[in-house]
Amino acid sequence: MITKLKPLTLAALISAVIVSCSEQKEEQHDKDKPFASRYQAQEYAPVFIKNATVLTATGEQIDNGSVYFKDGKIVEVGEDLSEPGDDDLLVIDADGKWVTPGIIDVHSHLGVYPAPGVQTSADGNEMTAPVTAEVWAEHSVWPQDPQFSLALAGGVTSMQILPGSANLVGGRGVTLKNVLGRTVMDMKFPNAPHGMKMACGENPKRVYGSKGRAPATRMGNVAGYRASWIKAQDYKKQWDAYNKSVENGKPGKKPKRDLQMETLMGVLNGEILVHNHCYRADEMAVMLDIAKEFGYKVSTFHHAIESYKIADLLAENEVCSAMWSDWWGFKQEAYDTVAENVALVDKAGACAVVHSDSAVGIQHLNKDAAKAMTSGNKMGLDIKPKDAIKWITINAAKSLGVEEHTGSLEAGKMADLVIWDGNPFSVYAKAEKVFIDGALKYDRDDKTVQPSSDFDLGVLKPQENRL
């Protein structure tokens, strides 16, 4: 039996080595592609957190719980876990503290509108044409924006940076890990799909109607979307035919590249997720019909203050709603909301997300979720912290297409998590420690673990050194 196994074992080992080398080559090849993620998780000691109240974002609250993570991944979460025997294990007694997954914001403009900011650093809105699907937010992100570190202090471990909402189609968004990076590629969430920003309602028709051009009305908006999708379908048809000819060994004429159409085709191919700024329920329903007409899916409606009116429709179509708890009334289309919006969407079985769209709000997303939970409970919906935590973690991860990697405390996922100094749904709660891929990236009690960008460091002698 042993003699028979030896050659098999050797063959298996050789096969494993070949597969491993192949995977490494493929991984390296992917990193060498233009604009690919060059994010590298930081090496860190294994960590065992014990005696904490743990919200897993899987619908479970574990009192007196433990979380063990190693090599960037969560190994085990539960009660009565034995302390692992790792020699360099870091043990954290979190008695009286709470642990949650890292916060994820699906709607941010950090880096494209840095602060302090001036007109020349406002790079988030390509307001030169109603459809600018060809622009990518990542090509505007300034990694030295000090707002990233402020968001980290609020427990934010990942976020989507989106273009602005002036255009019918504003361009591609990018999902980032909230880490310091010399370039935006050092921050890009590995293998996260691109988002594509679309906008309904007042913004596009105001921006372009005021210039005497289309769209000037909501019907003009819809005509603009549909005309673009017709072009995109034709573009996709040309590439599908070409790719098929290549597969058959008889390559035809290669279509000319069109950056705008490439992004739209990416949506039609299911590779890019649609993130649609849309306030009114009736307009969301129209956007779902457009998606049905052209065969794509809307991932998330953003600023969806009227989602409560069509929560059943959103659940049926598996579309997320990114909402505020109580930010409303700043323009006509933002008036008809209710404080129970988030809770009602959640109770209807739809994907409810609390987002910021604010460099300040992103620092307090836990409190925004707390307000939404309180509003729901006041009308008798009985929402617990173990449920509400999903609005800023796993549901946000679903919206961005990264729920297989992060957003909940489950074995095998990225160890992106926060230790809070108390109940995160208390107005007094603060993020005490923030881990990203298992490495401590922020510690409220240790200034050496509070990241600073070049901007924070300042300039000693600006007139001599830089001017």
Side-chain angles (χ1 to χ4, degrees):
M1 186 66 180
I2 293 174
T3 53
K4 287 182 181 177
L5 278 175
K6 278 184 176 176
L8 289 174
T9 306
L10 181 60
L13 282 171
I14 293 172
S15 174
V17 169
I18 291 172
V19 169
S20 176
C21 290
S22 173
E23 288 176 347
Q24 286 176 7
K25 283 181 180 177
E26 190 175 334
E27 189 176 328
Q28 185 59 44
H29 176 70
D30 288 342
K31 287 183 177 178
D32 289 342
K33 290 181 180 175
F35 316 121
S37 169
R38 292 193 285 274
Y39 170 73
Q40 294 284 339
Q42 179 188 339
E43 291 186 7
Y44 203 76
V47 178
F48 185 72
I49 303 170
K50 63 181 182 180
N51 300 323
T53 301
V54 181
L55 299 177
T56 61
T58 61
E60 189 177 15
Q61 175 175 323
I62 306 171
D63 298 323
N64 199 29
S66 301
V67 183
Y68 170 46
F69 49 95
K70 180 180 182 180
D71 298 329
K73 304 289 185 187
I74 295 170
V75 177
E76 200 170 13
V77 182
E79 290 181 270
D80 303 322
L81 299 186
S82 300
E83 200 167 297
D86 302 83
D87 292 337
D88 53 352
L89 183 71
L90 172 63
V91 179
I92 299 175
D93 188 344
D95 186 24
K97 298 170 184 176
W98 291 53
V99 176
T100 70
I103 306 296
I104 301 171
D105 190 2
V106 302
H107 193 123
S108 176
H109 300 297
L110 300 191
V112 298
Y113 287 112
V118 293
Q119 188 176 2
T120 53
S121 63
D123 291 315
N125 234 337
E126 183 61 38
M127 293 187 288
T128 52
V131 177
T132 56
E134 67 273 21
V135 302
W136 297 18
E138 65 199 66
H139 298 151
S140 281
V141 170
W142 183 48
Q144 304 299 331
D145 185 353
Q147 296 173 121
F148 285 117
S149 298
L150 295 175
L152 184 67
V156 175
T157 53
S158 299
M159 71 193 79
Q160 178 176 228
I161 309 300
L162 286 165
S165 54
N167 300 345
L168 300 174
V169 181
R172 296 195 193 196
V174 62
T175 300
L176 303 179
K177 286 274 188 176
N178 194 10
V179 296
L180 289 179
R182 292 184 302 171
T183 73
V184 69
M185 305 309 162
D186 297 332
M187 305 168 72
K188 280 184 80 169
F189 196 113
N191 301 314
H194 273 120
M196 189 186 80
K197 179 73 174 292
M198 296 180 70
C200 297
E202 292 183 19
N203 286 14
K205 77 188 192 79
R206 183 189 70 245
V207 170
Y208 293 99
S210 65
K211 296 176 182 175
R213 57 181 296 193
T217 61
R218 282 184 165 82
M219 59 185 173
N221 285 351
V222 173
Y225 309 128
R226 297 177 77 203
S228 295
W229 288 119
I230 289 169
K231 289 181 188 174
Q233 282 186 324
D234 183 58
Y235 186 73
K236 173 176 159 52
K237 191 175 177 182
Q238 293 175 43
W239 276 97
D240 286 348
Y242 170 73
N243 291 331
K244 190 172 182 181
S245 72
V246 172
E247 286 176 11
N248 293 335
K250 296 179 181 178
K253 185 179 179 183
K254 191 173 184 179
K256 185 179 179 182
R257 282 186 70 188
D258 182 319
L259 292 178
Q260 187 178 102
M261 291 298 111
E262 275 187 12
T263 296
L264 294 171
M265 183 173 70
V267 173
L268 295 177
N269 287 336
E271 299 160 352
I272 296 176
L273 306 180
V274 170
H275 290 270
N276 202 150
H277 156 126
C278 215
Y279 288 76
R280 283 181 10 188
D282 59 313
E283 287 191 283
M284 291 184 231
V286 169
M287 297 308 291
L288 290 177
D289 277 342
I290 295 171
K292 190 181 296 180
E293 180 181 9
F294 293 98
Y296 66 90
K297 185 177 185 323
V298 177
S299 170
T300 306
F301 286 118
H302 292 237
H303 315 338
I305 67 163
E306 293 188 16
S307 276
Y308 68 98
K309 297 181 180 179
I310 55 166
D312 56 333
L313 184 62
L314 297 170
E316 179 186 329
N317 285 276
E318 298 182 336
V319 179
C320 292
S321 295
M323 300 161 281
W324 298 292
S325 63
D326 55 4
W327 194 10
W328 66 283
F330 43 87
K331 55 181 175 178
Q332 193 272 335
E333 65 183 0
Y335 264 85
D336 199 6
T337 194
V338 294
E340 298 84 0
N341 188 25
V342 177
L344 287 168
V345 169
D346 182 66
K347 282 297 178 183
C351 170
V353 178
V354 175
H355 70 342
S356 79
D357 189 24
S358 162
V360 176
I362 194 173
Q363 301 168 36
H364 306 283
L365 276 172
N366 61 311
K367 297 178 183 67
D368 223 31
K371 286 189 286 185
M373 180 179 72
T374 300
S375 296
N377 287 337
K378 281 183 177 176
M379 69 176 295
L381 292 181
D382 189 26
I383 299 167
K384 301 284 195 304
K386 65 185 176 66
D387 304 311
I389 193 66
K390 296 178 185 176
W391 302 340
I392 49 177
T393 55
I394 189 63
N395 286 4
K398 286 177 186 171
S399 163
L400 301 180
V402 295
E403 72 273 22
E404 298 294 322
H405 308 291
T406 190
S408 59
L409 301 181
E410 296 177 90
K413 284 195 169 183
M414 293 169 168
D416 299 339
L417 56 91
V418 184
I419 300 177
W420 303 86
D421 62 1
N423 184 339
F425 293 94
S426 162
V427 71
Y428 300 108
K430 293 188 175 76
E432 192 172 275
K433 290 181 172 58
V434 182
F435 292 86
I436 298 180
D437 285 304
L440 183 63
K441 293 295 187 180
Y442 175 81
D443 189 333
R444 189 168 295 276
D445 299 320
D446 185 350
K447 287 190 175 180
T448 65
V449 197
Q450 296 177 8
S452 298
S453 73
D454 285 358
F455 178 84
D456 295 311
L457 298 175
V459 181
L460 290 177
K461 295 179 181 179
Q463 290 186 339
E464 292 181 15
N465 295 344
R466 296 197 182 180
L467 296 177

